[in-house]
């Protein structure tokens, strides 16, 4: 009884204290003169934190095992700010270090493990390769651009390369300086964008092999290009510290932001949200992200500082899950957020950590993911110091083994929505969607046909200058010299083999003549 009596006294004291606290708060609020101060008071006195439920809050990164990594790869040491890696459901392409000219490897994604040092390469460029991108509608077609001011289209045979590939199916010349960036149109077959150090963006129609449009509104080097969902708009970041939204067919600048407080490096469209996200540097040299309304670039919606590191921050956006991944060049971690149209707009989820710094990252398309393990994103991380490429899978933990429709909505597939002529005539169309439920088993039926061009010649003193281009640098001269040495060695070997064959035939002829049957 004494215990119950003491408990009742304690409860009474607590309740009296709580009542007095409530009356004190009520009195303080009544003493404030304006409703704004009353609201501010209640916000400051609020003790309950605000949580936002999300199905992706527990997403985690899983590094592939050693046998699923690609080892022994001479990754390029070029300091150009690109990923130097491109992935699709069939192949993994990596720009490599090479002496004289530029080259890149193309490896089937199933052929993991240690790479043969003499593995064949794509090595037709005369300068360093700066960017590579797979065609979104044809798995065997890849585009590359280089310091030799050319853009080239390559067709990779089924099963990968068996020997070095030096002949491209299409060579595109239109820039006066090196080409640092290429992008395929997201819904149209045969349209390719290229940005060069001549401050121009060229739009190529690969059905005729010629540039059909030129965007020349930039006053410095274009750093990044990003398309909206149907490809009717392109956003660019430029070294002149301006962010632009451009109508590509007319070249007209629809919106322009002069970013003084937020120096923009990379930009990405956020699906159908009519938003842009940029990464850059603040005036205090801290890495920063900013969210913009694509129809009004006068001021960013929000700006958020990330950290004080100096590496370039690459954004990757998944329109199906509305997740944003931020990976810094030279960092070992990948942060990921969920983006919404309402405040707080950018919701931090978690961070994948790794001790190995990344030079670049390739991203697997949606139809190449493992839906059975609830994989929603996959990176291929370039670790230059180890000559290693390791896959990193972002996985939503689920107990059920059935297909998870809530994390795999209909996604852009491998069929183009438009032809090049339709898009150039002004038609816009959303991408053709596909379901991942039955797995990706529908191969693309498109076949790339390179346009036939008349061969031009410029003959001076009996030498075709276009066929025999003189070397412009010492590297090109050395490359031509070693190529000629290889050709001479091959011809000598052929002559030796033919001499041996001739001697064998002569001996057989003499034996036939001296045989007793012929007497």
């Amino acid at each position: 009884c004494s215990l119950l009596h003491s408990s009742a006294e304690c409860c009474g004291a607590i309740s009296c204290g709580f009542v007095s606290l409530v009356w004190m708060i009520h009195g303080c609020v009544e003493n404030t003169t304006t409703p704004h101060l009353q609201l501010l008071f209640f916000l400051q006195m609020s003790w309950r934190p605000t949580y936002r439920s999300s199905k992706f809050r527990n997403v985690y990164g899983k590094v592939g095992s050693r046998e699923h990594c690609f080892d022994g790869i001479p990754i390029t040491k070029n300091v150009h700010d690109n990923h130097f890696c491109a992935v699709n459901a069939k192949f993994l392409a990596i720009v490599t270090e090479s002496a004289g000219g530029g080259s890149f490897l193309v490896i089937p994604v199933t052929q993991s493990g240690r790479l043969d040092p003499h593995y064949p390469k794509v090595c037709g460029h005369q300068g360093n390769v700066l960017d590579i991108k797979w065609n979104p509608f044809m798995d065997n077609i890849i585009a590359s651009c280089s310091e030799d001011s050319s853009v080239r289209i390559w067709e990779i045979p089924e099963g990968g390369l068996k020997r070095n590939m030096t002949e491209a199916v299409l060579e595109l010349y239109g820039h006066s300086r090196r080409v640092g960036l290429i992008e395929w149109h997201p819904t149209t077959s045969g349209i390719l964008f290229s940005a060069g150090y001549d401050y121009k963006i060229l739009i190529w129609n690969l059905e005729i092999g010629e540039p059909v449009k030129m965007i020349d509104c930039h006053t410095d080097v274009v750093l990044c290009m990003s398309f909206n969902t149907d490809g009717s708009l392109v956003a660019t970041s430029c070294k002149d510290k301006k962010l632009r939204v451009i109508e590509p067919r007319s070249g007209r600048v629809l919106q322009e932001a002069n970013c003084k407080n937020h120096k923009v490096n990379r930009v990405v469209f956020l699906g159908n949200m009519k938003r842009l996200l940029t990464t850059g540097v603040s005036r205090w040299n801290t890495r920063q992200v900013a969210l913009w309304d694509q129809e009004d670039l006068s001021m960013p919606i929000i700006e958020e500082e990330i950290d004080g590191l100096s590496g370039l921050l690459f954004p990757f956006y998944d329109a199906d899950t509305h997740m944003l991944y931020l990976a810094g060049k030279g960092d070992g971690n990948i942060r990921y957020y969920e983006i919404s149209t309402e405040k707080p707009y950018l919701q931090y989820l978690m961070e994948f950590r790794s001790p190995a710094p990344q030079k670049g990252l390739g991203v697997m398309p949606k139809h190449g993911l493992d839906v059975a393990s609830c994989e929603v994103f996959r990176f291929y991380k370039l670790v230059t110091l180890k000559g290693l490429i390791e896959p990193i899978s972002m996985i939503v933990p689920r107990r059920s083994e059935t297909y998870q429709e809530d994390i795999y909505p209909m996604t852009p597939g491998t069929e183009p929505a438009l032809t090049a002529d339709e898009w150039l005539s002004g038609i816009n169309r959303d991408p053709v969607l596909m379901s991942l439920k039955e797995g990706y088993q529908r191969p693309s039926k498109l076949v790339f046909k390179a346009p036939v061009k008349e061969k031009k010649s410029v003959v001076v003193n009996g030498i075709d200058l276009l066929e025999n281009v003189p070397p412009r640098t010492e590297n090109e001269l050395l490359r031509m010299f070693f190529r000629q040495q290889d050709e001479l060695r091959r011809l000598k070997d052929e002559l030796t083999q033919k001499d041996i064959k001739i001697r064998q035939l002569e001996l057989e002829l003499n034996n036939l003549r001296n045989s007793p049957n012929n007497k």
Side-chain angles (χ1 to χ4, degrees), residues 113-125:
R114 188 159 189 86
L115 193 71
D116 184 355
H118 303 290
Y119 194 87
K121 300 178 181 179
V122 180
C123 51
H125 281 287

Side-chain angles (χ1 to χ4, degrees), residues 208-228:
I208 60 175
E210 298 289 343
V212 289
K213 301 286 181 182
M214 182 177 69
I215 302 173
D216 59 352
C217 58
H218 302 88
T219 59
D220 211 325
V221 178
V222 177
L223 301 175
C224 181
M225 292 187 289
S226 177
F227 293 95
N228 64 342

Side-chain angles (χ1 to χ4, degrees), residues 315-330:
F316 302 90
Y317 180 66
D318 183 2
D320 295 342
T321 61
H322 305 296
M323 286 180 65
L324 172 73
Y325 301 86
L326 296 179
K329 188 174 183 180

Side-chain angles (χ1 to χ4, degrees), residues 433-449:
L433 302 180
M434 63 177 287
S435 172
L436 303 178
K437 186 172 184 177
E438 304 300 329
Y440 176 67
Q441 297 178 349
R442 183 175 54 183
S444 175
K445 298 180 181 179
L446 293 176
V447 178
F448 183 78
K449 294 182 180 179

Side-chain angles (χ1 to χ4, degrees), residues 138-162:
M138 289 178 270
D139 286 340
N140 293 61
I141 300 298
I142 188 171
S144 64
C145 63
S146 166
E147 289 181 350
D148 62 8
S149 71
S150 72
V151 177
R152 305 193 184 198
I153 311 298
W154 311 84
E155 185 171 8
I156 308 300
E158 289 291 335
L161 299 175
K162 305 301 180 185

